[in-house]
Amino acid sequence: MQPPHIGPNAPFFIVLNASSGSESTAEARQVIEEGLAAADRKHRIFLVDGPGRLQALAREAVERARAVGGVVVAAGGDGTINAVAQATLGSGCAFGVLPQGTFNYFSRTHGIPRDTAEALKILLAEQPRAVQVGLVNDRVFLVNASMGLYAELLEERETYKARYGRSRWIAFFAGLLTVMRGRHRHWNLRMAWRGQEKDIRTPTLFVGNNPLQLLQVGIEHADAPEQGQLAAIALKPVGALAMPGLLVRGAMGRLGRADQVLSFPFESMTVKAGPLRAPRRVKVATDGEIAWTEMPLLFRVSPEPLWLVRPDVAPELEAAKQ
């Protein structure tokens, strides 16, 4: 499979989310426009300035890029990047990232700096390289997908961020408060992969597609995404008092050492609920965005890669492996 080639005059079609991260949208836009003007590169910015606009603008950006051999660019956090990647996957277009979010796991894993001006230099200088994409019932995830408690943590974290601001510490303490409340639902799941089946009762199922995030929480199969696989992580049933300890273990990079954690790599896995009172739909989070999804869930590696404009070396990921 040949990567798309970015010509010296290829225009950029940039989807800029006005609500992502801490850097103001006006400042980010100014840096982008001045940098591209200095490089004499044509571009168009699609400003996401209201709810429900992201997907439509992402699709329009892809359509225009396909027509002229341009590059589709996501300027925002992991959720924005996810939506634009969903529209770009399979289009034949090159994909670029100008990270504006809080965690930026996707961009950090692929050597794209948080600073907009520095990220723009990479966009102007590099060519596309294949990047693995995860799918859950055909919804894209670049970092992770989850159901159960982890999805609940993400949903409630956004409430705290809206009230107190966006930072990693706020995200951590929001998660701590959520797990300390206890009384979380436990799911009876049947997971099937590689010709085998396993029944498990768990408060949450997490599927990782990002080696940097998996390394930072200390999961044994952190290299799965670099081996063409995904990493499944499920918690065995634990009491409410044990949950904060597991959260702290994850923050300290020791989650994989806990006896309550089950993890394994896979290429494709079907997850069914039940058998009693099995729900038809469940809330699933993909790269931090929550949506109702039909059961059963099919997690798999996409047969097509995302052609990401990125450097050959990702310093933060290489340092995390040491």
Side-chain angles (χ1 to χ4, degrees), residues 126-147:
E126 299 289 347
Q127 287 291 323
R129 291 177 168 85
V131 168
Q132 176 174 291
V133 174
L135 298 173
V136 52
N137 291 16
D138 296 323
R139 284 179 58 202
V140 161
F141 62 97
L142 303 176
V143 180
N144 61 59
S146 63
M147 61 166 289

Side-chain angles (χ1 to χ4, degrees), residues 145-156 178-179 181 183-189 201-207 233-235 243 271 273 279 281-286 290-293 295 297 299:
S146 63
M147 61 166 289
L149 177 58
Y150 188 82
E152 181 184 339
L153 291 177
L154 294 175
E155 194 169 28
E156 296 195 7
T178 300
V179 300
R181 285 205 308 269
R183 296 186 179 180
H184 305 294
R185 175 175 180 174
H186 283 74
W187 297 82
N188 294 310
L189 301 178
R201 181 171 171 80
T202 180
T204 191
L205 173 64
F206 177 99
V207 176
I233 304 163
L235 298 183
M243 291 301 297
V271 177
R281 299 190 305 160
V282 295
K283 283 186 178 181
V284 174
T286 50
I290 312 291
W292 286 99
T293 306
M295 293 291 283
L297 303 178
F299 295 92

